[in-house]
């Protein structure tokens, strides 16, 4: 119990002991403030750099050293940044379609069928998703640049791997392999919860297992399908490693948005204000998608956490 001559901190602690809800509110404010500071300050700093004119880029404080909104237009005048963004969007959509198709079939098998080795195989599948992308770089780079020989014909001609460097195939294939396990896990959780009676009723009507998957199970698991699709698209859109190494950085060669930002990094000077403006513009599609699909993502993740 605080005495009359106790300081403000001692009185606050004594009041929090009597009223624990006050302590919980204080902890929430501190945690929320720390979260907002660490997540929003980098975005604010990008805005400060983007609005600061190039000639005033030294000694930049918490406020811009000037006001130069033209940087958001100069980005598109200096490099074809819109093509870099379009490349990332197309790569994300194609990869998402492939991942959802394959993950739906695999999720049906793992979620609704019983077979020997089911659990170890699922664990092995999930373990693949924890491998660092760098572990696959060297073999994939040799494979996609035509340096892997499959067989030698009688005349001495070697059959080598196709050259996919600077093509969508060099990006979509590793993206699909890397992001497929998580989608399989999400869809397995949802598909396993659909009552057998609904699928049996569809099959009595004459549909096959595959037809029941696409006509009954997937529509009933819409939050899980949407969650897997949105997470895959965001991961592909923001991917850096393969996007940087599997193309030469030219927009016409399917270089993603990360290459567009790096175009403002020169040999003798870096255009930091344009790099910051490009970073802000590049994150707009993902921000819009998150805002639109926010409820789907939250409901899908929480539903998947509650179901077995």
């Amino acid at each position: 119990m605080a005495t009359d001559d106790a300081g403000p901190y001692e009185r606050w602690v004594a009041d929090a002991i009597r009223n624990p809800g006050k302590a919980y509110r204080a902890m929430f404010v501190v945690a929320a403030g720390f979260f907002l500071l660490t997540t929003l300050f980098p975005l604010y700093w990008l805005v400060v750099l983007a609005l600061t004119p190039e000639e005033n880029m030294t000694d930049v404080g918490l406020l811009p050293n000037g006001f130069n909104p033209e940087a958001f237009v100069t980005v598109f005048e200096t490099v074809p940044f819109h093509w870099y963004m379009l490349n990332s969007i197309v790569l994300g959509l194609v990869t998402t379609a492939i991942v959802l198709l394959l993950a739906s079939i695999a999720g049906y098998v793992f979620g609704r069928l019983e077979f020997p080795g089911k659990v170890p195989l699922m664990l092995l599948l999930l373990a693949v998703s924890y491998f660092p992308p760098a572990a696959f770089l060297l073999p994939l780079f040799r494979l996609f640049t035509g340096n892997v020989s499959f067989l030698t014909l009688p005349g001495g001609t070697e059959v080598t791997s196709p050259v996919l460097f600077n093509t969508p195939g060099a990006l979509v294939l590793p993206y699909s392999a890397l992001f497929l396990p998580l989608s399989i896990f999400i869809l397995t959780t949802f598909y396993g919860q659909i009552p057998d009676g609904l699928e049996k009723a569809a099959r009595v009507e004459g549909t096959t297992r595959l037809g029941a998957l696409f006509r009954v199970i997937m529509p009933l698991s819409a939050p899980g399908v949407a969650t897997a699709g949105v997470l895959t698209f965001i991961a592909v859109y923001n991917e850096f490693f393969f996007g940087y190494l599997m193309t030469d950085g030219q927009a016409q060669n399917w270089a993603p948005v990360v290459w567009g930002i790096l175009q403002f990094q020169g040999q003798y000077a870096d255009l930091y204000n344009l790099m910051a403006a490009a970073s802000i513009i590049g994150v707009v599609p993902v921000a819009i998608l998150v805002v639109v699909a926010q409820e789907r993502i939250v409901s899908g993740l929480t539903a998947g956490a509650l179901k077995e």
Side-chain angles (χ1 to χ4, degrees), residues 65-83:
N65 279 349
F67 185 69
N68 181 36
E70 291 84 2
F72 292 94
V73 179
T74 308
V75 165
F76 296 97
E77 295 174 345
T78 308
V79 301
F81 194 69
H82 55 292
W83 284 113

Side-chain angles (χ1 to χ4, degrees), residues 219-232:
L220 293 175
S221 305
V225 176
T227 301
V230 171
L231 293 181
T232 300

